[in-house]
């Protein structure tokens, strides 16, 4: 055991080639950045920007800006918040209290895992990558069953070998994905689908706010808290153990990933905006299928299919790996292989049965939980000012929850009568961020003497 408290020891370490603060090569940073981008860039990220472009038309840049803020922006802030707080999502979410932290973490993992996001990767990639090549009018049940079996079989293989994620995703999958989208964009530049026009769609709160709301639906704000452990583990495997260095490298790869996301979102939104003069498509996936068929014929659908399958595959691998890692730690008696096997089989089943019903059920819950995560992440960056006191986080999240529950009921089509109308009259409620004022009130209570006394009382019990 080498003692590192003397200058002589430092020199000995240097002579022997040891490094306590391993530095990464530029190529390694790029690989990890590509991995992070690919894991984030999934089904929703592929189909939301083009749909947003068609709906916004000439106002597409404003809508895209809003989307980037709540998607890529919150994603990077979430990862940084986890890394700064400790070594896992528990370190961040636990700031609101141990029991609250465990409950919220488990719910987020389940939503991003087998209950919603994971099944969606298989279902959406099938719709975009396979359906265009099936005989028109034929049943999709058996082909989808077989496709998702292969899709989640590959996910299972790579999830059992998480160390290979960086090599496969960073060196192969991501360049192919970027090249595919780049080809579509360049073709649209030189052979436009149509002129960018003012659309007949009138957003209640403007294209920028609509972009903000669409960014929430991409789920990357949740996913960031889950994916952070993958980034941390990759840095550790490469010899980066110093906490400050981990934070610095996370910031670097996060910036690169955001730049890549912005470029891809811009390209997809641009393609969508060229169809703003056409009849609205059912969703972004249908729009993209039309665009690439118009530009390249059936070969266009091949390009789009490859891009979509790769995007969904990398997200699926990342989510499954993170899910297995977390629940193995939560339930030590379960092996990692067992957890991954169960979640993969369950996900395969859900991706083929009742996904639309699942979406309708889960979306209101996402609306309820998203403000809690945003409040938690933002407060964590100023943690030193109140020395990590739990009551500051707890009151802020509790008050934001009060409003977000009503917002969730509104999304689910559940009316609470006059009470809902009164709550929706709160400042910023019409913009979809009515939880901001309640969260601020909760924050002020949390840092007040009353909040401190309540916190001390709870901690001493």
């Amino acid at each position: 055991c080498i003692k590192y408290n003397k200058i002589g020891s430092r020199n000995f370490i240097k002579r022997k080639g040891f490094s306590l603060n391993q530095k990464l090569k530029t190529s390694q940073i790029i690989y990890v950045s590509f991995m992070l981008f690919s894991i984030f860039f999934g089904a929703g990220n592929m189909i939301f920007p083009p749909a947003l472009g068609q709906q916004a038309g000439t106002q597409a840049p404003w809508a895209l800006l809003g989307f980037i803020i709540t998607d890529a922006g919150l994603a990077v802030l979430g990862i940084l918040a986890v890394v700064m707080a400790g070594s896992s999502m528990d370190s961040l979410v636990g700031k609101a209290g141990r029991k609250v932290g465990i409950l919220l973490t488990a719910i987020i993992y389940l939503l991003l895992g087998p209950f919603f996001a994971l099944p969606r990767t298989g279902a959406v990639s099938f719709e975009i990558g396979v359906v265009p090549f099936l005989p028109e009018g034929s049943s999709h049940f058996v082909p989808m069953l077989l496709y998702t079996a292969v899709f989640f079989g590959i996910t299972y293989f790579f999830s059992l070998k998480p160390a290979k994620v960086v090599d496969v995703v960073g060196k192969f999958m991501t360049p192919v994905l970027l090249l595919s989208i780049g080809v579509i964009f360049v073709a649209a530049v030189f052979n436009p689908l149509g002129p960018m026009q003012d659309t007949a769609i009138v957003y209640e709160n403007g294209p920028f706010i609509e972009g903000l709301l669409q960014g929430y639906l991409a789920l990357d704000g949740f996913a960031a808290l889950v994916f952070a452990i993958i980034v941390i583990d990759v840095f550790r495997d490469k010899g980066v153990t110093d906490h400050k260095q981990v934070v610095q490298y996370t910031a670097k790869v996060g910036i690169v990933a955001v730049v890549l996301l912005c470029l891809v979102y811009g390209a997809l939104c641009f393609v969508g905006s060229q169809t703003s003069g056409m009849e609205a498509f059912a969703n972004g996936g249908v729009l993209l299928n039309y665009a690439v068929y118009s530009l390249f014929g059936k070969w266009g659908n091949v390009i789009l299919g490859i891009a979509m399958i790769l995007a969904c595959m990398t997200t699926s691998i990342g989510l499954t790996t993170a899910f297995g890692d977390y629940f193995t730690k939560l339930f030590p008696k379960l092996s990692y292989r067992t957890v991954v096997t169960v979640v993969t089989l369950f996900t395969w089943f859900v991706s083929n049965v009742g996904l639309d019903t699942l979406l309708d059920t889960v979306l209101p819950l996402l609306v309820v939980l998203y403000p809690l995560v945003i409040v938690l992440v933002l407060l964590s960056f100023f943690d030193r000012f109140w020395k990590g006191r739990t009551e500051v986080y707890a009151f802020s999240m509790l008050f934001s929850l009060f409003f977000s529950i009503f917002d969730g009921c509104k999304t689910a089509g559940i009316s609470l009568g006059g009470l809902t109308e009164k709550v929706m009259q709160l400042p910023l409620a019409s913009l979809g961020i009515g939880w901001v004022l309640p969260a601020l009130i909760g924050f002020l209570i949390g840092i007040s003497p009353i909040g401190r006394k309540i916190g001390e009382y709870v901690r001493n019990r």
Side-chain angles (χ1 to χ4, degrees):
C1 180
I2 301 175
K3 293 184 178 180
Y4 188 63
N5 58 353
K6 294 181 180 180
I7 296 178
S9 298
R10 290 176 183 265
N11 294 334
F12 174 80
I13 290 174
K14 291 181 179 179
R15 289 197 304 270
K16 293 299 181 180
F18 293 106
S19 175
L20 296 181
N21 296 317
Q22 182 68 36
K23 292 185 178 181
L24 297 182
K25 299 178 182 177
T26 302
S27 60
Q28 292 175 314
I29 294 177
I30 293 175
Y31 288 151
V32 179
S33 300
F34 275 15
M35 176 205 72
L36 185 60
F37 161 81
S38 296
I39 293 176
F40 272 130
F41 195 78
N45 309 75
M46 192 77 170
I47 63 178
F48 285 136
L52 200 61
Q54 184 188 34
Q55 294 168 2
T58 56
Q59 299 295 315
W62 289 108
L64 179 63
L65 177 61
F67 184 88
I68 289 173
I69 289 174
T70 52
D71 178 73
L74 284 178
V76 172
L77 288 178
I79 287 185
L80 276 174
V82 172
V83 174
M84 292 173 65
S87 59
S88 69
M89 181 178 172
D90 290 334
S91 304
L92 174 64
V93 183
K95 291 180 180 293
R98 182 176 176 275
K99 293 182 180 179
V100 173
I102 292 176
L103 177 61
L104 182 58
T105 300
I107 292 175
I108 290 175
Y109 267 99
L110 288 170
L111 287 174
L112 290 172
F115 285 0
F116 181 52
L118 263 178
R120 189 178 69 172
T121 60
V124 174
S125 62
F126 173 78
E127 290 293 332
I128 305 300
V130 178
V131 169
F133 305 100
L134 297 178
E136 188 174 351
S138 63
S139 173
H140 296 169
F141 178 74
V142 174
M144 184 173 184
L145 197 67
L146 296 175
Y147 168 81
T148 52
V150 174
F151 182 91
F152 290 111
I154 296 174
T155 295
Y156 177 75
F157 173 78
F158 282 112
S159 296
L160 291 180
K161 305 175 184 297
K164 290 184 175 293
V165 172
V166 173
D167 292 332
V168 175
V169 172
K171 295 180 180 179
F172 174 70
M173 287 188 176
T174 301
V176 172
L177 172 62
L178 293 175
L179 180 61
S180 301
I181 297 174
V183 169
I184 296 172
F185 171 72
V186 171
V189 170
F190 289 99
N191 187 23
L193 298 169
M196 186 184 299
Q197 301 179 7
D198 292 328
T199 64
I201 298 176
V202 179
Y203 292 121
E204 182 179 354
N205 303 301
F208 177 73
I209 299 300
E210 182 64 23
L212 290 175
L213 300 178
Q214 291 284 340
Y216 291 149
L217 296 178
L219 300 181
D220 286 336
F222 283 167
L225 308 185
V226 175
F227 293 152
I229 186 64
I230 298 178
V231 176
I232 294 172
D233 286 344
V234 168
F235 287 149
R236 286 176 175 172
D237 290 342
K238 295 185 178 299
V240 181
T241 56
D242 180 73
H243 184 256
K244 289 185 178 180
Q245 274 199 323
V246 172
V247 173
Q248 292 173 357
Y249 281 128
T250 300
K252 290 180 180 179
V253 301
I255 291 173
V256 175
V258 166
V259 171
L260 290 173
L261 285 171
C262 290
L263 291 175
V264 173
Y265 291 159
L268 293 172
C269 188
F270 173 77
V271 172
S273 67
Q274 291 186 344
T275 66
S276 55
M278 305 177 188
E279 184 178 350
F281 291 92
N283 55 61
V286 177
L287 188 158
L288 285 176
N289 271 329
Y290 164 80
V292 295
Y293 184 79
S294 300
L295 294 169
F296 306 104
K298 275 296 181 180
W299 280 108
N301 295 112
V302 173
I303 295 173
L304 178 63
I306 292 173
M308 176 57 78
I309 291 173
L310 289 177
C312 293
M313 178 65 71
T314 52
T315 300
S316 179
I317 294 170
L319 286 174
T320 304
T321 301
F323 186 92
D325 183 77
Y326 174 75
F327 277 92
T328 299
K329 293 178 180 177
L330 189 63
F331 302 102
K333 293 184 178 180
L334 296 177
S335 67
Y336 177 82
R337 180 181 290 272
T338 299
V339 174
V340 170
T341 301
V342 172
V343 73
T344 303
L345 290 173
F346 183 81
T347 299
W348 176 49
F349 172 77
V350 174
S351 67
N352 287 276
V353 180
L355 188 59
D356 290 338
T357 302
L358 183 63
L359 175 62
D360 293 337
T361 304
V362 170
L363 185 57
L365 184 57
L366 296 177
V367 173
V368 172
L369 294 178
Y370 229 116
L372 304 185
V373 174
I374 295 174
V375 169
L376 178 64
V377 168
L378 293 180
L379 288 179
S380 69
F381 286 98
F382 306 96
D383 186 78
R384 64 182 183 277
F385 292 110
W386 46 81
K387 299 179 180 179
R389 296 206 311 273
T390 302
E391 59 269 17
V392 177
Y393 294 91
F395 277 111
S396 301
M397 294 171 67
L398 180 63
F399 275 64
S400 65
L401 177 63
F402 169 77
F403 177 84
S404 66
I405 287 177
F406 284 92
D407 219 8
C409 290
K410 179 182 177 182
T411 303
I414 301 174
S415 177
L416 300 178
L419 184 59
T420 299
E421 295 180 0
K422 291 181 179 179
V423 171
M424 289 302 165
Q425 291 177 356
L426 287 173
L428 303 179
S430 61
L431 303 180
I433 51 174
W435 51 268
V436 171
L437 181 60
L440 180 59
I441 294 173
F443 169 76
L444 294 176
I445 294 175
I447 62 175
S448 69
I450 295 177
R452 183 189 293 269
K453 289 183 179 180
I454 293 176
E456 291 177 351
Y457 174 78
V458 173
R459 284 191 290 270
N460 292 330
R461 286 181 64 84

